[in-house]
Amino acid sequence: MRFVIAGGTGFIGSALCQRLRAENHSLTILTRGQEKRRAEPGENWVTWEPLAGRIPADLLDGADGVINLAGEPIAARRWTESQKEKIRASRIMATRTLVGAIASARAKPKFLLNGSAVGYYGPRGDEPITEETGSGSDFLARTCVEWEEEAKKAESAGVRVVLLRTGIVLGKGGALAKMAPPFKFFVGGPLGSGRQWMPWIHMEDEIGLIRFLSGRADASGPFNATAPNPVTMKEFCRALGRALRRPSWAPVPAFALRILLGEMADMLLTGQRVIPERAQKLGYRFRYAHLDDALQACMPM
């Protein structure tokens, strides 16, 4: 198959491209230029300008599918108003540009698999969350709603649209690489009360779900990309301590996080008890359904 991938140099995108190359798929990877590297066999790197709405003509002609994982990292820096706008615009404009290219393509792709996030639901306490649950009202939720609305416009061109609401992805790097160092120095522990839920997924299942949903003509709309057994922050930190053979005893007070991170701290101090109901009903079988197994597979860190 031929895939066009935006965001192919990020944490998830890099792992996905590596897997698709190994399966001998043809990849067109969209880059803004600064990340461009030497293409691997079966790979084509194309420069685009998502914020300007520019993409090479005829790029999507004949592609089997488009996978959009593009966007400014959420936790790259403190959320100033300008940084929040960068987070929002990078997602909205990249999606709008791709959907415009889909509408203009002579031979349209079969599907658009568009990244989203469990932040769509906003803080929900202990409430079990499925794809039927409505959206929240905080900054991340509003951003996800706009992001998904842009992607759904591709449906008017007759293209199947999948919205992948991803939780915290566990792998060698990403969020886990930031969480592990305190534990290694015996000062690891939960953030805030530790009672907030952490919807997580192992990288193998994130990629597995993308491949599974790409190949299912009956898959459309939102899918939660989270393991079927979410845990609280306290449970997560205990499991991470076990994996690293370190204690989990030094919680970080909520007020300290808010001083350090500002509004971004709310993302860490609240959570969602997300269940991947639709993926399970469609028949996807998780390789890592339990956190201890997932963390062991990520070791050594």
Side-chain angles (χ1 to χ4, degrees):
M1 296 179 70
R2 179 184 165 223
F3 295 96
V4 175
I5 302 177
T9 60
F11 179 52
I12 298 171
S14 296
L16 174 64
C17 289
Q18 183 178 5
R19 180 66 56 81
L20 294 177
R21 281 196 305 268
E23 295 172 352
N24 296 315
H25 295 290
S26 174
L27 308 181
T28 297
I29 300 174
L30 302 182
T31 171
R32 289 172 297 172
Q34 62 266 40
E35 319 103 324
K36 192 168 183 178
R37 59 172 174 75
R38 186 173 181 178
E40 301 285 344
E43 217 176 56
N44 179 34
W45 286 66
V46 176
T47 300
W48 72 322
E49 298 179 67
L51 294 181
R54 289 195 286 269
I55 193 168
D58 303 328
L59 179 67
L60 303 187
D61 284 350
D64 292 287
V66 178
I67 299 174
N68 179 25
L69 304 173
E72 176 78 9
I74 292 292
R77 50 183 58 89
R78 190 181 179 93
W79 285 0
T80 61
E81 288 305 312
S82 62
Q83 179 63 15
K84 285 164 65 176
E85 179 56 24
K86 187 179 293 186
I87 289 169
R88 176 190 166 276
S90 64
R91 286 159 173 76
I92 306 306
M93 291 306 299
T95 305
R96 185 176 297 168
T97 300
L98 286 171
V99 170
I102 287 171
S104 300
R106 290 170 296 183
K108 300 191 188 310
K110 298 180 180 67
F111 68 87
L112 166 64
L113 188 147
N114 203 75
S116 186
V118 294
Y120 173 93
Y121 302 110
R124 310 300 287 225
D126 293 330
E127 175 189 356
I129 303 297
T130 72
E131 291 86 352
E132 298 299 318
T133 304
S135 64
S137 58
D138 62 350
F139 163 67
L140 287 181
R142 295 194 306 271
T143 297
C144 288
V145 169
E146 285 190 82
W147 194 7
E148 293 187 7
E149 287 301 318
E150 288 296 333
K152 286 190 286 188
K153 292 176 183 177
E155 293 174 339
S156 63
V159 173
R160 175 171 63 94
V161 176
V162 175
L163 306 167
L164 200 66
R165 295 173 181 167
T166 297
I168 298 168
V169 180
L170 304 181
K172 296 186 187 325
L176 198 56
K178 297 179 181 179
M179 297 178 72
F183 284 85
K184 293 180 180 179
F185 289 99
F186 295 89
V187 290
L191 307 179
S193 70
R195 294 192 296 269
Q196 67 271 38
W197 288 89
M198 286 189 64
W200 62 274
I201 186 170
H202 190 278
M203 180 67 84
E204 283 291 322
D205 283 313
E206 177 76 5
I207 294 172
L209 265 175
I210 291 173
R211 292 165 66 235
F212 177 78
L213 297 172
S214 295
R216 291 287 301 245
D218 56 346
S220 63
F223 285 86
N224 291 332
T226 60
N229 297 293
V231 297
T232 63
M233 169 68 76
K234 185 174 291 186
E235 291 168 332
F236 183 93
C237 289
R238 286 175 178 168
L240 181 55
R242 287 193 296 271
L244 293 169
R245 299 182 181 180
R246 296 291 191 273
S248 174
W249 63 275
V252 180
F255 76 86
L257 275 177
R258 289 197 167 96
I259 291 172
L260 181 65
L261 302 176
E263 185 182 352
M264 191 200 303
D266 290 338
M267 177 181 68
L268 304 173
L269 296 171
T270 61
Q272 305 90 6
R273 189 179 181 180
V274 180
I275 309 298
E277 183 174 83
R278 293 196 68 211
Q280 289 182 299
K281 285 184 176 179
L282 206 59
Y284 181 76
R285 298 185 64 180
F286 283 82
R287 182 173 177 182
Y288 294 102
H290 299 282
L291 181 59
D292 282 324
D293 296 334
L295 289 174
Q296 285 297 332
C298 295
M299 297 299 133
M301 286 295 299

